[in-house]
Amino acid sequence: MRYLQLLESCAICPRECRVNRLKGEMGFCKIAGGIKVSKAFLHFWEEPCISGKNGSGTVFFSGCNMGCVFCQNYEISQKRFGVYIDIEKLAKIFLNLQAKGAHNINLVTPTIYVPYIIEALEIAKRKGLSIPIVYNTSAYEKPETIELLRGYVDIFLPDLKYFDDEIAKKYSNAPFYFEYATKSILKMYEIVGDVKIENGIMKKGVIIRHLVLPMHTNDSIKVLSWIKDNLKGKVLLSLMSQYYPMYRASEYKEISRRLTKREYQKVVNFVLENDLDYGYIQDLDSATDEYTPDFDLEGI
């Protein structure tokens, strides 16, 4: 349990709340000691190289170190729906998903649980866990925390949400988001290297997701320009149009609607003109709420 001591003065994420979570103290994420999860199942709605034919063995963790006003998973990220389990149980969940034929273990919003996840992976690997591990994150991370995952994670699936810090603070209460996210994404690439796909299934590498927001196409283009200048041809890009105004999005007029065809096409054109289409470009009609799973404690 050598990693759990990191929670005695928690600085796992950029917020560095310095609370003792092992003694029940709560910081921004409102999660004290223990592992809280809401669902573990075979997920078929991720990128094709992640979900494949059999599905991605996805574990949804409760709580989040972001505060996105438009979060599709707000029931678990902001309202923290779920149940507490121990490390042995988490390891068992990983093994059960592998037994069901999952192509990988997909850890969704895992940041605040990194010490527990490492311990659970060590147990599960001793008991035969062998499929790739996917770290599915908002990228509001510290590179030092990402470094802890070296040798444990095979695929990093980070968002790169914003370029402008004022936008990040307004919609996600995430100061210095771009600075932390880009440094952490570079660390992710350093750890796992170039993309490796076998028979259509990703085995290692980085997929950067970017969700285009209404009225913010210029910020999207700045995000994509950074990818072009730093990681072009080295990672997969997943450009997402599925923005749907949920949770508190109605409080912000400019993002209280879906994307227009013109807005999305502007960003798609930038991707195509700069040869960034090494990955996935989502159809505009993906903007519905059907991508939000039912958080029903399945598989827990």
Side-chain angles (χ1 to χ4, degrees), residues 72-229:
Q72 289 184 313
N73 295 343
Y74 69 92
E75 290 179 71
I76 61 169
S77 66
Q78 307 305 317
K79 296 188 175 181
R80 294 172 288 282
F81 171 79
V83 294
Y84 280 100
I85 62 173
D86 60 23
I87 291 170
E88 292 281 351
K89 176 66 173 178
L90 183 58
K92 186 176 181 180
I93 287 171
F94 295 159
L95 292 166
N96 286 344
L97 289 168
Q98 177 174 265
K100 290 180 179 179
H103 292 296
N104 45 61
I105 299 299
N106 185 355
L107 310 168
V108 181
T109 55
T111 308
I112 59 179
Y113 297 102
V114 164
Y116 295 105
I117 287 169
I118 292 174
E119 301 286 357
L121 285 172
E122 289 189 348
I123 293 170
K125 286 177 180 292
R126 287 197 297 269
K127 294 183 177 182
L129 183 67
S130 59
I131 54 179
I133 308 301
V134 181
Y135 190 82
N136 188 336
T137 173
S138 67
Y140 196 40
E141 305 271 5
K142 291 171 61 178
E144 298 91 337
T145 299
I146 297 301
E147 177 62 35
L148 296 176
L149 298 166
R150 188 184 294 270
Y152 294 99
V153 168
D154 306 281
I155 298 166
F156 285 99
L157 185 53
D159 294 331
L160 187 48
K161 292 179 179 292
Y162 314 107
F163 177 88
D164 188 284
D165 196 51
E166 291 306 311
I167 299 173
K169 287 188 286 189
K170 182 177 184 180
Y171 298 138
S172 295
N173 191 9
F176 307 107
Y177 172 83
F178 184 76
E179 178 182 347
Y180 280 108
T182 51
K183 287 180 179 178
S184 294
I185 288 171
L186 290 173
K187 172 61 72 172
M188 294 172 192
Y189 176 73
E190 176 196 320
I191 288 172
V192 297
D194 295 336
V195 171
K196 181 179 179 182
I197 295 177
E198 296 178 358
N199 298 318
I201 302 299
M202 193 166 183
K203 300 298 182 180
K204 75 178 188 74
V206 179
I207 303 178
I208 300 177
R209 286 174 168 170
H210 177 68
L211 176 67
V212 184
L213 298 180
M215 296 294 291
H216 290 83
T217 55
N218 288 338
D219 197 68
S220 288
I221 287 172
K222 290 176 183 177
V223 166
L224 295 169
S225 294
W226 181 87
I227 297 172
K228 175 177 71 74
D229 293 341

Side-chain angles (χ1 to χ4, degrees), residues 234-298:
K234 297 177 179 179
V235 303
L236 297 184
L237 170 67
S238 182
L239 187 69
M240 304 170 74
S241 65
Q242 70 185 54
Y243 177 80
Y244 190 84
M246 296 183 71
Y247 190 38
R248 295 173 47 218
S250 61
E251 300 173 20
Y252 301 81
K253 183 178 179 180
E254 67 276 16
I255 60 167
S256 63
R257 61 167 174 82
R258 304 182 200 183
L259 278 171
T260 65
K261 182 177 180 180
R262 182 176 182 179
E263 285 174 321
Y264 191 53
Q265 194 59 52
K266 175 182 176 180
V267 181
V268 169
N269 287 345
F270 181 87
V271 169
L272 298 176
E273 290 165 4
N274 288 276
D275 299 319
L276 287 172
D277 53 331
Y278 180 47
Y280 304 97
I281 298 177
Q282 205 171 41
D283 292 332
L284 187 59
D285 59 11
S286 297
T288 71
D289 59 359
E290 67 181 24
Y291 286 93
T292 304
D294 293 323
F295 298 112
D296 53 10
L297 305 182
E298 177 184 350

